[in-house]
């Protein structure tokens, strides 16, 4: 059933990403491909071509023209730290809680923050990040013919899959910026600019941007979830709806909390999109591309189900369903059961961590306000002080405290955006992981039901044979055939989903470790940056203190 | 114990050597070990005193007799009594003592008492009081004698005293000084309180960091390669947060032991000056009242009244001249005191900031290396 769904239009199929040399198509740069074949056989043909050429040369050769396209490496140097040193302190000092998103003069820096590196390498000697592993392969229907032709691919072990390399690297940067309020009153909404910068040939342009509103993002989630979650993919969850937050914005409350809310949402939407495009099969989805490219999107309706509490309910139902099902015990199931338990434990842990960071952020904010008040009191003291050197020193002290307040403020933002949001994202991602496991359960259940139906049909046939009613026998035989093929279909589905879920978990866990590492480096950099500025403050003040006579 | 003998006794210990070296707590009672060095020998003296003894000393200083212009002296302020009992919660202690309630093992409080003794010992007039000497060197405590409360008026008491406080002065110098002092006293008190708030928040932050750091340890899981990698990351973050926590602790403690103590001392000293100025003002009011009565006096009482008025005038002018000297001395010394506190504060904070910049830098290096594994 989903075979037809994943069929991609011709112009797009060739521009999908290469996956470990066993891909559907490797990308080249815009040229006219041969028309996309309508049936699986031709797909297989194309695949063989691809496989052959890819086997020859992994370095991004354009399979159609044979022209060499140099793998486009991202701007980062081998020293991974540089990626983030560009981004530096995640929230710049001018992105104060009073501002609304980035300023125009920072457009240039837009994409340095937004880099999503779509390398297909798993491990390189330079330790490049891996975002896309070989996991896409199982999800892709074009895999099916592959498995016929090259059965060895499907039976590859996990280790082998991990070690495979691919040479093609393409860059896709996404940024969500410029929130703007459109309309007034309760019908108002925030519109965000979604900018894409890419070298991927499947897009019409290299740089483009569109405007989207929050419900568009939810609509995107709905679409891709409907398609891909059945395959056992982990679908990144969208940011949560917030009635309180949005109402404040709608009624035009121009205070720091609503600006903070908008910034928080903007950043969350950006991370959401980055995670979506980091997933190899989601990136190939035309809905994703449409979302990024198309000027006007039809309004997504019925996104109520995806509001915060709605999503949470969905996830909770999933875990209930899983708990109620009895799972047949075979070896691979042990893996799934223990993994699921791990996931649930981790979710609890991350929730706790998130609460701890939240408290840290609040205390820092408190420190900010205390510091400001103290600074004012010192300034007043300085103003009535008669001794001029002491008076000057006290004024300087007040300024030092002011600067420290800014530093505390920035650090609070760092704590929040780097740590707290990371943890919150992963709590929700783990929820998505549980949904993924639930999907597998559903597929298994369907298989069970089909098997029992088949059994019943066979019994019915047997009964008919006994009762000697030949006219119904044909029907019974037809039934049996139908259900036999269903059972084998569902068996294949189940195997496929099992394989996908395993791969997805692997990818997810790697991604998670990598994500956390990146964020910690980022956090440290912000700490260090703050600390250096602090040292400067004190160094500037010391001579003033010494000058008091 | 002869109190306030007129003999010009000198202090028998070296002023700069006066230290409070230890404080022990026994239930509700704090005992302080005070060490000093004898002037004429290398012998050290150590005595044990409780707060009551300090109070006795202060009272003795107030009630010295035959000291002209005693009221004009700015008496070094003695910190309030600490109440270390369990029923005294931290909020109560903070309200009562401010900064001096913080810090470990009554360190700040001891420091403040030490300052007090040093201020008394360096005061040109007060250091000659016998009570100080016996306080510092007598192995027995001065006893629980309650000296007369003396003529020492506590400003905070009556509403009528508020009225007196705003009584116009006859001397510009003093009028200005009173205004300045009022401002400084109020503002330095506020500044001290606000710094206290900052320090309390820093403590909360340290606690929150500790909590976060320990929670991260729970994420350790050795099941498979990815879990190991993730665990490593969590432990790394835990170390980093632990460092942040120590940073807050150090910064908070520096704030407390330098600027906090300094502002607290300044604020209490301004109050002490206020009390001195108030005493003088009261004398002024008394003088003006006597003058009026003398003018109205009938002839037969006039001579007596005039003599009395002269006496009061003399007292007043003595007080005023002592006060002037005290004020000048106070002005120069307080600037110096504040300067030292500010320098100490800045240097400590700078060192702490540098130390942690180095530490974070090391962590960052380690993280980046971990990353490229």
């Amino acid at each position: 059933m989903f075979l037809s769904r994943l069929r991609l239009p011709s112009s797009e199929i060739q521009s999908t990403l290469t996956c470990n040399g066993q891909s559907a198509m490797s990308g080249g740069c815009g040229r006219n491909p041969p028309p996309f074949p309508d049936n699986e056989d031709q797909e297989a043909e194309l695949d063989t071509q691809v496989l052959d050429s890819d086997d020859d040369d992994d370095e991004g050769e354009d399979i159609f023209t044979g022209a060499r396209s140099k793998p486009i490496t991202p701007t980062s140097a081998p020293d991974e730290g540089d990626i983030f040193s560009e981004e530096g302190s995640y929230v710049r000092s001018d992105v104060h809680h009073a501002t609304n998103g980035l300023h125009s003069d920072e457009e240039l820096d837009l994409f340095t923050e937004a880099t999503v590196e779509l390398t297909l390498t798993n491990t390189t000697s330079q330790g490049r990040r891996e975002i896309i592993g070989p996991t896409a392969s199982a999800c892709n229907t074009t895999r099916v013919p592959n498995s016929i032709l090259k059965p060895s691919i499907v039976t590859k072990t996990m280790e082998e899959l991990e070690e495979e390399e691919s040479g093609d690297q393409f860059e896709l940067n996404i940024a969500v910026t410029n929130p703007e309020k459109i309309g007034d009153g309760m019908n108002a909404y925030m519109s965000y600019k979604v900018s894409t910068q890419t070298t991927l040939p499947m897009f019409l342009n290299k740089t483009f941007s569109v405007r989207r509103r929050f419900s568009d993002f939810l609509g995107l989630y709905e679409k891709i979830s409907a398609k891909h979650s059945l395959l056992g993919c982990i679908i990144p969850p969208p940011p949560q709806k917030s009635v309180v937050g949005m109402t404040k914005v709608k009624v035009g409350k121009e205070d720091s909390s609503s600006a903070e809310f908008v910034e928080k949402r903007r950043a969350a939407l950006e991370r959401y999109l980055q995670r979506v495009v980091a997933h190899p099969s989601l990136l190939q989805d035309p809905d994703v591309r449409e979302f990024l490219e198309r000027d006007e999107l039809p309004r997504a309706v019925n996104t109520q189900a995806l509001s915060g509490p709605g999503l949470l309910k969905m996830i909770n139902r999933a875990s209930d369903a899983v708990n109620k099902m009895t799972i047949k015990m075979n070896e691979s199931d042990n893996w799934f059961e223990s993994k699921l338990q791990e996931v649930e434990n981790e979710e609890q842990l991350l929730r706790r961590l998130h609460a701890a960071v939240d408290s840290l952020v609040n205390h820092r904010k408190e420190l900010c306000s205390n510091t400001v008040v103290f600074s004012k009191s010192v300034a007043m003291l300085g103003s009535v002080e008669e001794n001029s050197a002491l008076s000057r020193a006290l004024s300087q002290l007040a300024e030092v405290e002011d600067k420290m307040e800014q530093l505390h403020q920035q650090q609070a933002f760092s704590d929040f955006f780097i740590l707290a949001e990371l943890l919150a994202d992963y709590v929700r991602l783990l929820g998505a992981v549980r949904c993924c496991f639930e999907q597998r359960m559903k597929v298994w259940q369907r298989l069970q039901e089909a098997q029992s139906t088949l059994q019943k049909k066979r019994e019915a046939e047997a009964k008919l044979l006994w009762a000697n009613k030949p006219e119904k026998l044909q029907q019974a035989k037809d039934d049996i055939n139908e259900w036999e093929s269903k059972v084998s279909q569902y068996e294949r589905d189940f195997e496929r989903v099992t394989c996908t879920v395993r791969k997805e978990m692997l990818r997810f866990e790697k991604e998670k470790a990598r994500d956390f590492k990146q964020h910690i480096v980022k956090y440290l950099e912000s700490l260090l940056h703050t600390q250096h500025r602090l040292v400067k403050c004190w160094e500037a003040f010391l001579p003033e203190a010494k000058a008091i006579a | 114990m002869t109190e306030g003998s007129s003999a010009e006794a000198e202090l028998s210990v070296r002023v700069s050597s006066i230290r409070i070296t230890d404080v022990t707590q026994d239930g509700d009672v704090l005992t302080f070990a005070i060490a000093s060095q004898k002037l004429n020998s290398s012998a050290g003296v150590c005595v044990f005193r409780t707060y009551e003894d300090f109070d006795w000393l202060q009272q003795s200083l107030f009630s010295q007799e035959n000291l002209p212009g005693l009221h004009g002296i700015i008496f070094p302020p003695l910190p309030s009594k600490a109440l270390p009992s369990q029923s005294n919660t931290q909020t109560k202690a903070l309200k009562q003592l401010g900064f001096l309630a913080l810090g470990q093992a009554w360190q700040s409080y001891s420091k403040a008492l030490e300052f007090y003794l040093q201020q008394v010992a360096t005061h040109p007039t007060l250091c000659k009081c016998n009570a100080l000497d016996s306080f510092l060197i007598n192995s027995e405590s001065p006893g629980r004698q309650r000296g007369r409360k003396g003529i020492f008026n506590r400003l905070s008491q009556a509403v009528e005293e508020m009225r007196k406080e705003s009584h116009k002065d006859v001397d510009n110098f003093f009028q200005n000084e009173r205004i300045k002092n009022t401002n400084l006293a109020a503002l330095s008190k506020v500044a001290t309180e606000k710094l206290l708030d900052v320090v309390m928040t820093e403590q909360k932050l340290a606690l929150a960091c500790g909590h976060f750091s320990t929670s991260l340890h729970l994420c350790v899981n050795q099941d498979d390669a990815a879990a190991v990698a993730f665990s490593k990351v969590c432990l790394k973050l835990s170390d980093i947060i632990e460092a942040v926590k120590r940073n807050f602790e150090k910064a908070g403690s520096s704030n407390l032991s330098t600027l906090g103590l300094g502002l607290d001392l300044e604020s209490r000293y301004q109050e002490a000056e206020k009390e001195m100025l108030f005493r003088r003002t009261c004398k002024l009011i008394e003088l003006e009242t006597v003058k009026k009565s003398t003018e109205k006096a009938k002839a037969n009482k006039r001579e007596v009244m005039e003599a009395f008025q002269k006496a009061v005038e003399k007292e007043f002018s003595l007080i005023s001249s002592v006060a002037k000297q005290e004020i000048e001395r106070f002005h120069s010394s307080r600037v110096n005191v504040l300067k030292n506190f500010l320098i100490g504060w800045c240097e400590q904070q700078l060192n702490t900031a540098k130390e942690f910049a180095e530490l974070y830098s090391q962590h960052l290096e380690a993280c980046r290396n971990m990353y490229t594994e």
Side-chain angles (χ1 to χ4, degrees):
Chain A
M1 316 130 286
F2 14 59
L3 294 180
S4 51
R5 275 232 232 147
L6 282 182
R7 193 162 291 193
L8 302 167
S10 60
S11 63
E12 290 165 274
I13 188 66
Q14 82 236 335
S15 48
T16 54
L17 299 161
T18 10
C19 301
N20 309 323
Q22 51 174 21
S23 69
M25 324 284 157
S26 72
C29 305
R31 62 259 168 274
N32 284 321
F36 184 71
D38 270 9
N39 51 40
E40 284 192 329
D41 296 326
Q42 279 189 283
E43 270 185 294
E45 226 181 309
L46 211 49
D47 283 349
T48 10
Q49 281 179 4
V50 171
L51 289 165
D52 286 343
S53 62
D54 272 355
D55 283 346
D56 290 340
D57 184 348
D58 268 353
E59 288 305 303
E61 182 175 272
D62 183 332
I63 55 160
F64 294 104
T65 64
R68 222 183 186 323
S69 66
K70 256 196 342 192
I72 295 164
T73 60
T75 50
S76 65
D79 177 8
E80 287 301 319
D82 287 348
I83 294 175
F84 297 101
S85 56
E86 281 174 345
E87 300 171 41
S89 55
Y90 189 86
V91 177
R92 291 166 288 266
S93 55
D94 46 333
V95 183
H96 225 261
H97 47 215
T99 65
N100 231 359
L102 301 173
H103 294 164
S104 56
D105 57 1
E106 284 150 8
E107 288 278 341
L108 296 170
D109 288 332
L110 207 59
F111 292 106
T112 57
E113 288 217 352
T115 302
V116 169
E117 184 184 321
L118 301 178
T119 68
L120 304 168
T121 28
N122 288 334
T123 51
T124 65
S125 55
Q126 291 172 322
R128 233 175 257 291
R129 286 182 284 157
E130 58 202 84
I131 294 185
I132 301 174
T135 57
S137 20
C139 300
N140 217 323
T141 45
T142 50
R143 281 288 70 71
V144 176
N146 272 353
S147 68
I148 296 168
L149 294 163
K150 291 210 172 184
S152 58
I153 295 167
V154 170
T155 58
K156 268 206 173 90
T157 60
M158 296 276 253
E159 287 75 23
E160 284 177 276
L161 289 167
E162 287 175 51
E163 285 161 10
E164 267 186 310
E165 294 215 7
S166 142
D168 286 338
Q169 294 162 7
F170 292 91
E171 193 166 304
L172 178 79
N173 299 338
I174 293 190
V176 174
T177 57
N178 296 68
E180 261 171 37
K181 185 173 163 193
I182 313 273
D184 263 319
M186 288 316 282
N187 289 328
Y189 63 90
M190 291 304 285
S191 150
Y192 302 88
K193 183 173 169 189
V194 176
S195 311
T196 314
Q197 194 187 62
T198 179
T199 54
L200 286 173
M202 69 181 173
F203 291 97
L204 299 170
N205 299 308
K206 288 220 182 349
T207 317
F208 49 91
S209 70
V210 293
R211 291 210 76 96
R212 296 282 179 255
R213 53 186 292 185
F214 185 67
S215 54
D216 294 336
F217 289 80
L218 294 184
L220 176 67
Y221 172 77
E222 213 171 35
K223 287 182 195 155
I224 60 185
S225 177
K227 281 186 249 171
H228 295 266
S229 60
L230 297 171
L231 303 173
C233 289
I234 300 171
I235 317 284
Q240 290 176 313
K241 262 196 178 185
S242 162
V243 176
V244 174
M246 265 326 281
T247 311
K248 271 196 202 159
V249 174
K250 283 182 188 179
V251 303
K253 214 167 173 242
E254 288 289 328
D255 67 359
S256 63
S257 70
S258 60
E260 222 176 277
F261 169 78
V262 170
E263 172 57 26
K264 183 178 169 183
R265 173 163 280 192
R266 180 208 66 79
L269 290 173
E270 191 172 88
R271 290 194 308 274
Y272 168 63
L273 281 183
Q274 286 169 349
R275 289 205 170 94
V276 167
V277 299
H279 194 298
S281 37
L282 294 183
L283 180 58
Q284 291 174 33
D285 189 315
D287 282 322
V288 172
R289 239 172 297 143
E290 186 181 69
F291 181 89
L292 293 174
E293 269 187 327
R294 192 170 155 180
D295 278 332
E296 291 287 327
L297 273 189
R299 262 299 294 281
V301 294
N302 211 18
T303 53
Q304 195 53 42
L306 298 169
S307 65
L311 191 61
L312 199 61
K313 258 193 258 174
M314 212 159 77
I315 292 172
N316 287 337
R317 270 204 313 269
S319 67
D320 287 340
V322 169
N323 290 338
K324 284 184 193 140
M325 281 189 211
T326 50
I327 309 162
K328 71 174 186 225
M329 282 303 164
N330 60 34
E331 223 220 298
S332 69
D333 276 355
N334 271 340
W335 185 90
F336 284 94
E337 205 175 306
S338 64
K339 235 346 152 194
L340 187 58
Q341 190 59 51
E342 245 179 67
V343 164
E344 283 171 357
N345 291 342
E346 198 166 78
E347 195 179 321
Q348 290 312 312
L349 271 171
L350 290 187
R351 275 187 205 274
R352 207 181 322 182
L353 288 178
H354 180 256
V357 176
D358 227 9
S359 130
L360 191 63
V361 171
N362 288 337
H363 286 313
R364 263 204 222 267
K365 288 190 179 162
E366 195 185 323
L367 187 61
C368 284
S369 52
N370 285 343
T371 308
V372 162
V373 169
F374 176 59
S375 162
K376 287 205 178 96
S377 73
V378 169
M380 293 215 55
L381 206 50
S383 68
V384 304
E385 178 59 51
E386 279 207 331
N387 181 302
S388 58
L390 181 57
S391 168
R392 192 169 51 244
L394 287 173
S395 311
Q396 288 293 330
L397 174 51
E399 278 182 34
V400 164
E401 290 293 320
D402 269 337
K403 284 193 199 131
M404 283 182 54
E405 188 262 340
Q406 283 177 23
L407 292 178
H408 290 317
Q409 182 81 269
Q410 277 182 26
Q411 193 57 50
F413 274 122
S414 281
D415 287 352
F416 180 74
F417 282 101
I418 300 178
L419 291 181
E421 289 283 78
L422 172 75
L423 290 166
D425 280 355
Y426 270 89
V427 167
R428 297 211 322 282
L429 274 167
L430 286 173
V433 170
R434 281 194 284 138
C435 281
C436 170
F437 276 71
E438 189 225 10
Q439 286 304 327
R440 180 173 167 273
M441 286 300 145
K442 278 191 180 151
V443 173
W444 181 81
Q445 199 174 38
R446 193 178 56 181
L447 173 61
Q448 294 300 98
E449 284 165 6
Q451 281 172 340
S452 86
T453 311
L454 177 62
Q455 185 62 24
K456 288 198 186 99
K457 296 292 179 191
R458 288 207 172 115
E459 285 166 6
E461 189 203 26
K463 279 197 193 128
L464 288 175
L465 281 169
W466 254 40
N468 205 3
K469 289 186 181 158
E471 68 283 0
K472 289 193 183 153
L473 210 55
Q474 187 54 43
Q475 179 63 40
K477 283 206 195 290
D478 287 343
D479 279 352
I480 289 174
N481 283 337
E482 181 194 342
W483 282 96
E484 271 176 354
S485 75
K486 274 194 184 165
V487 165
S488 70
Q489 174 64 50
Y490 294 163
E491 269 171 355
R492 285 201 301 275
D493 285 347
F494 181 67
E495 266 171 41
R496 199 181 319 129
V497 166
T498 299
C499 182
T500 305
V501 171
R502 264 192 207 261
K503 285 181 190 162
E504 282 283 280
M505 272 312 292
L506 193 72
R507 186 186 69 87
F508 174 75
E509 284 181 331
K510 278 209 184 122
E511 182 74 17
K512 183 181 71 178
R514 201 184 51 78
D515 221 352
F516 272 68
K517 268 186 211 169
Q518 278 176 13
H519 278 77
I520 285 172
V521 168
K522 230 171 168 178
Y523 184 66
L524 262 177
E525 283 173 349
S526 88
L527 272 180
L528 196 55
H529 180 77
T530 305
Q531 206 64 18
H532 281 149
R533 296 208 17 212
L534 198 60
V535 168
K536 283 213 174 71
C537 278
W538 293 120
E539 279 175 346
F541 180 67
L542 192 56
E544 287 291 337
K546 289 191 168 160
I548 302 170
Chain B
M1 226 41 270
T2 45
E3 292 172 0
S5 90
S6 53
E8 293 279 290
E10 291 287 338
L11 201 58
S12 60
V13 303
R14 208 188 309 272
V15 169
S16 55
S17 69
I18 299 174
R19 294 277 181 277
I20 293 186
T21 53
D22 193 26
V23 50
T24 49
Q25 179 176 349
D26 182 17
D28 265 8
V29 178
L30 291 174
T31 307
F32 304 90
I34 304 169
S36 51
Q37 266 217 323
K38 284 251 176 197
L39 258 183
N40 299 322
S41 68
S42 56
V45 187
C46 185
V47 296
F48 297 92
R49 299 284 182 254
T50 62
Y51 185 81
E52 276 72 25
D53 300 324
F54 280 90
D55 199 29
W56 169 87
L57 174 60
Q58 185 77 326
Q59 297 306 321
S60 308
L61 293 172
F62 291 159
S63 52
Q64 291 177 84
E65 289 166 352
N66 304 323
L67 215 56
L70 180 72
H71 292 191
I73 294 181
I74 301 177
F75 288 89
L78 180 66
S80 318
K81 182 173 180 177
L83 301 166
S85 66
Q86 293 292 10
S87 59
N88 208 17
T89 62
Q90 198 192 38
T91 31
K92 269 197 226 161
L94 281 174
K95 256 196 187 155
Q96 183 204 27
L97 294 175
F99 267 107
L100 306 183
L102 293 178
Q104 287 183 331
W106 301 102
Q107 263 175 23
S108 318
Y109 190 68
S110 305
K111 205 79 192 135
L113 288 175
E114 192 182 279
F115 281 145
Y116 166 73
L117 288 176
Q118 287 167 348
Q119 296 289 342
V120 174
T122 47
H123 191 284
T125 312
L126 296 177
C127 67
K128 298 175 184 161
C129 177
N130 276 347
L132 179 63
D133 209 44
S134 66
F135 179 92
L136 287 172
I137 62 175
N138 275 16
S139 50
E140 289 159 26
S141 61
R144 295 288 171 267
Q145 308 174 34
R146 279 281 155 270
R148 288 164 290 174
K149 271 289 185 193
I151 16 65
F152 197 72
N153 292 320
R154 283 266 126 168
L155 200 56
S156 41
Q157 270 150 23
V159 172
E160 68 161 73
E161 294 181 357
M162 300 297 255
R163 196 174 41 85
K164 282 185 189 170
E165 202 194 336
S166 53
H167 184 90
K168 192 152 190 338
D169 212 297
V170 296
D171 184 334
N172 256 352
F173 171 79
F174 282 101
Q175 184 65 30
N176 290 337
E177 185 62 25
R178 280 160 65 190
I179 292 171
K180 275 189 281 182
N181 166 262
T182 308
N183 288 339
L184 274 175
L187 291 175
S188 58
K189 187 153 187 268
V190 167
T192 311
E193 284 167 3
K194 299 313 169 193
L195 183 60
L196 188 60
D197 288 339
V198 169
V199 170
M200 294 308 293
T201 311
E202 282 174 329
Q203 285 188 352
K204 281 191 220 168
L205 270 166
L207 231 69
C209 284
H211 187 66
F212 184 32
S213 172
T214 26
S215 300
L216 280 164
H217 273 280
L218 297 171
C219 292
V220 176
N221 175 353
Q222 305 288 332
D223 285 351
D224 53 49
V228 167
F230 184 63
S231 300
K232 256 201 230 166
V233 170
C234 286
L235 285 177
K236 194 77 199 140
L237 185 59
S238 176
D239 288 342
I240 293 165
I241 300 296
E242 188 64 32
V244 172
K245 168 186 154 195
R246 284 202 316 274
N247 195 353
F248 276 122
E249 284 173 344
K250 254 196 164 170
S253 136
S254 296
N255 275 341
L256 167 58
S257 64
T258 55
L259 190 59
L261 268 185
L263 281 177
D264 174 79
L265 188 64
E266 165 73 8
S267 137
R268 284 185 298 116
Y269 241 107
Q270 293 288 345
E271 283 298 317
E273 190 195 6
K274 198 182 218 182
E275 281 168 6
M276 180 279 279
L277 289 169
F278 182 67
R279 289 196 296 273
R280 180 183 161 280
T281 308
C282 289
K283 200 53 144 179
L284 175 63
I285 293 172
E286 186 188 335
L287 180 59
E288 288 177 351
T289 316
V290 165
K291 274 189 183 162
K292 283 203 192 119
S293 314
T294 308
E295 279 166 22
K296 290 184 195 157
K298 297 202 179 110
N300 56 339
K301 295 216 182 135
R302 189 169 279 260
E303 232 180 272
V304 176
M305 292 291 277
E306 277 175 358
F308 183 53
Q309 183 184 316
K310 270 219 173 71
V312 174
E313 266 172 10
K314 188 172 177 220
E315 271 174 31
F316 180 69
S317 91
L318 268 174
I319 290 178
S320 295
S321 71
V322 167
K324 237 190 193 140
Q325 283 180 347
E326 283 284 280
I327 287 170
E328 275 156 19
R329 182 172 167 267
F330 174 56
H331 280 188
S332 66
S333 86
R334 71 175 267 276
V335 171
N336 227 25
V337 165
L338 278 174
K339 171 186 180 174
N340 290 335
F341 276 122
L342 283 172
I343 293 176
W345 176 65
C346 183
E347 282 174 346
Q348 278 194 20
Q349 294 289 21
L350 181 58
N351 286 341
T352 304
K354 281 185 178 163
E355 178 190 335
F356 281 91
E358 181 56 38
L359 187 60
Y360 294 152
S361 179
Q362 286 173 8
H363 274 299
L364 184 58
E365 213 35 59
C367 267
R368 285 181 178 157
N369 291 338
M370 177 176 80
Y371 187 64
T372 55
E373 278 165 16

